[in-house]
Amino acid sequence: MQNIILIAYGHFELNSLKEIAGAITREYSSPVVIKEGYMDMDRFFDASRRQYDGNKILKEVDFVHHFEALKKIALFKVDLYIPILTYIFGQAYLNGKTGIASLYRLKNELYGMNSDENLLVERFIKEVIHELGHTFGLKHCYNPSCVMRSSTYVEDIDQKSSFLCNRCKKLLI
């Protein structure tokens, strides 16, 4: 069985990475290997928006890392956007091999609330599982508790679970 590769760009707590890896294994029944990555993020920074171009980062991660892997998901801590949206939590190639996710917009402090590490990791797990779902060919789901439901706001992420609904699980087979 091939691994799913979790690539951390920047410093992430090892316990958090292990928690994310465990959640991925639970949902996709694949072992997860954690790796560290590095890229010059300046190339992806748009000074006029003060954000990083998610499309270009996704393309770079897909191109640079040629691991023998079932899928790969890169983790970041920067504010991501795509030209048609103000910001994104992550993105992936539908039916592809690669996804990206950032915890930047998942932090309580951004919304005037107290820091909550546990909630931050919980949100990040949901986002990573969601983006990996797209790589497995899953589209957005209308089940309100399914992790594949679309999330425009962080509140949307809080309202859904970190699990695939039965319909989405069946689509994986």
Side-chain angles (χ1 to χ4, degrees), residues 51-172:
Q51 293 175 295
Y52 294 82
D53 188 323
N55 287 333
K56 291 178 181 175
I57 293 171
L58 178 62
K59 190 175 186 177
E60 180 75 6
V61 170
D62 190 52
F63 176 74
V64 168
H65 296 289
H66 298 290
F67 301 121
E68 283 298 315
L70 177 63
K71 305 288 179 184
K72 55 189 171 181
I73 181 105
L75 309 182
F76 295 90
K77 292 184 172 185
V78 298
D79 195 10
L80 299 173
Y81 80 95
I82 57 174
I84 63 168
L85 294 174
T86 306
Y87 64 87
I88 58 173
F89 302 117
Q91 70 175 7
Y93 290 123
L94 188 63
N95 281 316
K97 258 189 126 154
T98 309
I100 61 173
S102 176
L103 57 70
Y104 182 87
R105 293 269 175 172
L106 304 177
K107 297 183 279 189
N108 268 356
E109 304 89 310
L110 203 59
Y111 308 100
M113 297 181 287
N114 292 332
S115 175
D116 185 335
E117 270 311 301
N118 291 332
L119 183 58
L120 179 62
V121 172
E122 181 183 316
R123 288 172 176 163
F124 206 30
I125 285 169
K126 292 175 186 180
E127 185 55 33
V128 168
I129 290 172
H130 178 95
E131 296 306 334
L132 279 170
H134 288 315
T135 68
F136 283 103
L138 297 177
K139 295 180 181 169
H140 288 147
C141 181
Y142 294 104
N143 181 328
S145 65
C146 182
V147 74
M148 289 309 297
R149 192 180 91 218
S150 179
S151 297
T152 304
Y153 305 104
V154 74
E155 294 87 355
D156 298 331
I157 296 171
D158 291 342
Q159 292 173 2
K160 63 185 179 181
S161 76
S162 62
F163 301 95
L164 296 166
C165 69
N166 288 334
R167 180 188 153 279
C168 286
K169 282 182 186 175
K170 286 178 185 171
L171 292 173
L172 287 177

Side-chain angles (χ1 to χ4, degrees), residues 21-37:
I24 293 169
T25 298
R26 177 198 73 220
E27 284 308 297
Y28 297 109
S29 302
S30 291
V32 177
V33 174
I34 299 169
K35 298 211 178 252
E36 288 184 21

